[in-house]
Amino acid sequence: MKILGFVGSLRKGSYNKALMRAALELTPEDTSLEVFDLEGIPPFNQDFENQPPQIVKDFKAKIKQVDALLIATPEYNYSIPGVLKNAIDWASRPHADKVFDGKPVALMSASVGRLGGARAQYHLRQSFVFLNMYPINRPEVMLPSAQQYVDENGNLTNEETRKLIRQLLEELVRWARKLREKP
Ligand SMILES: Cc1cc2nc3c(=O)[nH]c(=O)nc-3n(C[C@H](O)[C@H](O)[C@H](O)COP(=O)(O)O)c2cc1C
């Protein structure tokens, strides 16, 4: 089972990168998690959707190769960061390519605010309807006051959140297997 992860924050000390780092440590057996760095993804321009920049080609190729996706994202202004939106928009085009179609996807968010990025997650879920993706419903991994739970080395120190991340990955793998079954 192969999972591709990506993070909606480019910030070096990102709390969402800390969530993804924890996921790398908590990946279930017989499952691989590779993280794609969104640094360098340009703003989407539909003029180039048929000949996108190399980084977008690489991103789409990786998505095609995996069984499932894992996204960790901050909430920016009650929504998702532009870098993540641009990455999704590029990969979703041209429409006929359908790299996201039918893929299970799991979400995590960390925020310094009180809701842990909940609003960003629900905005993303709306896009998954159009993309025909299958988001995992539970557990919801939303880490509020993240600055209290990530140490100076970028490690997630909150045991409860680590447990939830492990459960989320297990659910993602379970659904990826189910969706792969032939009817
Ligand atoms: C442009 C911008 C908008 C933000 N908007 C929100 C917001 O709507 N809700 C929230 O909880 N935090 C918001 N924050 C604070 C983020 O939770 C905080 O910067 C967090 O550290 C970002 O995630 P990261 O550590 O992965 O980079 C915002 C931060 C920025 C830079």
Side-chain angles (χ1 to χ4, degrees), residues 9 11 13-17 74-78 110-113 119:
S9 171
R11 200 169 73 83
S14 160
Y15 303 129
N16 287 280
K17 285 184 180 172
E75 177 177 292
Y76 280 179
N77 298 311
Y78 281 19
S111 149
V112 299
R119 288 161 292 222

